[in-house]
């Protein structure tokens, strides 16, 4: 690579440009356009938040909190509200560090989601990240449905420098998980990450498949902590919420990986997911290469959204 790749925060800032144009531009005219903080001001703010995919629950919570603080601090100038708003959004999105417990324990991460959202890519990136932390990682190629899914994951395993346990196309995904668990135990792996096939359109099959996988994990690997991450495509906006809800109905979803935040106008969905579903966004993806995934951090996400660190640009 001729030019050194930009840091993650910078990639996030540039990735969120369209989202920023979508939401934050409205804020700026709001904060400078009003001379007093009145009902009209709040109404316009509400509209901007909802139009920015932030969701009804989060919008309501953010507004309540803001109104309360404006009163307590006796703020009169709308311009003084901006920082308060930023802090309120951050509070709304903060993920407890205990949510990453699985990174420090013997665990299995099951990665699920609909077609093409970035499951396999995220599994590869996650493997690279955890390996860099000194963990022994094994991948389970439990997508035996789509042709060449195993090959794609093998390439990621090579990039990350981790071992992969694969099945043949058409094999039973649960039997791949069985083999992967046996390998994880034999090699004393810290983390087993299982890729799965993307298909929600057939809910009954998916439920059946997940139930079988969970049963194997429970029986063969009870000592491992189980983390189920749903991958959502950040460019799909409200649709991502619908998908997350559907997966939460069939699996014990413990977190979200939100991908493709590079170049979407709908990044506000990251705020919505947490408050609408009460499931934390644990990782975000901002590109197609191995270092384009990071733990979600509310502070840097909101700072990137508002482009708060101009000195780093
Ligand atoms: N720009 C961008 N592209 C991404 C990101 N994550 C994944 N992709 C791309 O999205 C496409 C689909 O990614 P996959 O990882 O194959 O998705 P999948 O969910 O495993 O797909 P299926 O297994 O077919 O259901 C690929 O072209 C990836 O490179 C991201 O964060 N940003
Ligand atoms: Mg895949």
């Amino acid at each position: 690579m001729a030019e050194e790749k930009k840091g993650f925060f910078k990639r996030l800032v540039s990735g969120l440009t369209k989202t920023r144009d979508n939401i934050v531009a409205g804020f700026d005219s709001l904060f400078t356009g009003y001379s007093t903080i009145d009902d009209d001001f709040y109404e316009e703010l509400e509209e901007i938040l909802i139009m920015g995919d932030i969701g009804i629950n989060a919008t309501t919570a953010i507004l309540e909190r803001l109104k309360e603080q404006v009163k307590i601090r006796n703020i009169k100038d709308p311009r003084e509200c901006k920082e308060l708003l930023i802090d309120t959004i951050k509070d709304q999105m903060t993920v407890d560090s205990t949510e990453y417990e699985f990174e420090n324990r013997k665990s299995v991460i099951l990665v699920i989601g609909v077609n093409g959202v970035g499951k396999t890519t995220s599994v590869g990136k996650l493997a690279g990240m955890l390996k860099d932390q000194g963990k022994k990682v094994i991948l389970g190629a439990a997508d035996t449905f789509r042709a060449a899914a195993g090959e794609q994951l093998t390439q990621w395993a090579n990039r990350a420098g981790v071992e992969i346990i694969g099945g043949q196309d058409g094999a039973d995904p649960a039997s791949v998980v069985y083999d992967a668990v046996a390998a994880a135990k034999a090699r004393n792996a810290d983390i087993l990450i299982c890729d799965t096939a993307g298909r929600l359109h057939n809910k009954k099959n998916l439920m059946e498949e997940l139930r079988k996988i969970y049963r194997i994990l429970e029986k063969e690997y009870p000592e491992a902590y189980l983390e189920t991450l749903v991958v959502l495509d950040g460019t799909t906006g409200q649709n991502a919420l619908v998908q997350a809800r559907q997966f939460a109905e069939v699996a014990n979803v413990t977190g979200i990986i939100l991908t493709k935040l590079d170049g979407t106008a709908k990044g506000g969905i990251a705020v919505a997911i947490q408050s609408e579903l009460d499931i934390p966004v644990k990782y975000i993806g901002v590109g197609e290469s191995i270092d384009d995934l990071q733990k979600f951090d509310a502070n840097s996400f909101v700072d990137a959204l508002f482009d708060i660190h101009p000195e780093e640009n």
Side-chain angles (χ1 to χ4, degrees):
M1 218 180 299
E3 192 188 324
E4 204 190 317
K5 207 169 168 183
K6 288 193 281 184
F8 191 86
F9 183 76
K10 286 184 187 169
R11 275 177 278 150
L12 186 60
V13 169
S14 67
L16 289 174
T17 300
K18 285 187 200 155
T19 302
R20 190 159 49 240
D21 290 349
N22 202 16
I23 309 178
V24 178
F27 285 151
D28 285 341
S29 71
L30 179 72
F31 291 121
T32 54
Y34 279 80
S35 53
T36 52
I37 301 170
D38 54 14
D39 286 351
D40 286 347
F41 170 84
Y42 283 126
E43 231 164 76
E44 192 171 330
L45 175 57
E46 183 173 17
E47 201 178 306
I48 296 169
L49 291 171
I50 289 179
M51 295 304 285
D53 280 306
I54 279 168
I56 307 275
N57 281 353
T59 299
T60 307
I62 289 167
L63 276 169
E64 260 172 33
R65 182 80 202 282
L66 190 70
K67 284 180 184 172
E68 188 187 284
Q69 289 298 316
V70 163
K71 231 184 208 158
I72 291 170
R73 301 187 196 189
N74 198 22
I75 294 173
K76 300 267 186 266
D77 187 345
R79 278 170 301 185
E80 284 176 52
C81 259
K82 188 172 174 180
E83 209 172 308
L84 208 51
L85 176 71
I86 291 169
D87 287 345
T88 310
I89 299 176
K90 283 180 181 170
D91 283 351
Q92 189 69 24
M93 301 177 81
T94 300
V95 182
D96 207 334
S97 63
T98 56
E99 294 287 359
Y100 296 96
E101 211 9 56
F102 63 93
E103 286 192 354
N104 304 312
R105 292 173 56 171
K106 195 167 283 290
S107 59
V108 177
I109 307 176
L110 197 60
V111 177
I112 59 180
V114 305
N115 287 300
V117 287
K119 290 178 297 299
T120 305
T121 307
S122 297
V123 168
K125 291 171 177 175
L126 208 49
M129 178 191 288
L130 293 167
K131 167 108 194 293
D132 282 349
Q133 290 173 19
K135 308 260 156 45
K136 185 163 179 66
V137 180
I138 291 187
L139 300 185
D143 179 0
T144 55
F145 185 70
R146 184 167 63 74
E151 267 166 51
Q152 186 194 358
L153 193 65
T154 301
Q155 285 176 6
W156 276 107
N158 292 340
R159 268 179 220 129
V162 303
E163 196 180 338
I164 176 169
I165 305 298
Q168 286 167 314
D169 288 353
D172 178 8
S175 76
V176 175
V177 171
Y178 183 93
D179 291 345
V181 165
K185 288 200 282 196
R187 322 267 202 284
N188 196 24
D190 298 303
I191 300 183
L192 167 64
I193 313 176
C194 295
D195 189 20
T196 63
R199 50 200 162 110
L200 185 64
H201 53 269
N202 192 338
K203 202 163 157 184
K204 199 161 155 269
N205 270 356
L206 177 86
M207 274 167 73
E208 224 13 70
E209 183 176 312
L210 285 178
R211 201 173 296 137
K212 264 167 102 178
I213 291 175
Y214 281 130
R215 207 180 300 134
I216 295 218
L217 292 173
E218 242 163 60
K219 205 167 146 219
E220 304 297 327
Y221 209 16
E223 65 271 37
Y225 182 89
L226 182 57
E227 180 76 18
T228 303
L229 300 178
V230 172
V231 180
L232 301 173
D233 178 337
T235 63
T236 61
Q238 296 300 315
N239 224 340
L241 268 184
V242 175
Q243 287 170 20
R245 271 203 192 96
Q246 288 175 317
F247 277 103
E249 280 167 18
V250 297
N252 176 26
V253 178
T254 50
I256 305 286
I257 300 179
L258 190 61
T259 62
K260 310 189 192 181
L261 285 178
D262 45 317
T264 174
K266 298 179 174 175
I269 200 68
V271 187
I273 289 170
Q274 213 135 305
S275 40
E276 304 293 318
L277 306 171
D278 211 20
I279 302 172
V281 174
K282 296 193 179 176
Y283 300 93
I284 52 174
V286 296
E288 299 184 278
S289 35
I290 195 156
D291 54 355
D292 286 333
L293 185 87
Q294 233 175 52
K295 264 189 200 170
F296 178 75
D297 174 59
N299 281 327
S300 45
F301 183 83
V302 178
D303 284 347
L305 196 57
F306 284 85
D307 202 2
I308 297 214
H309 290 300
E311 74 274 12
E312 289 185 35
N313 286 323

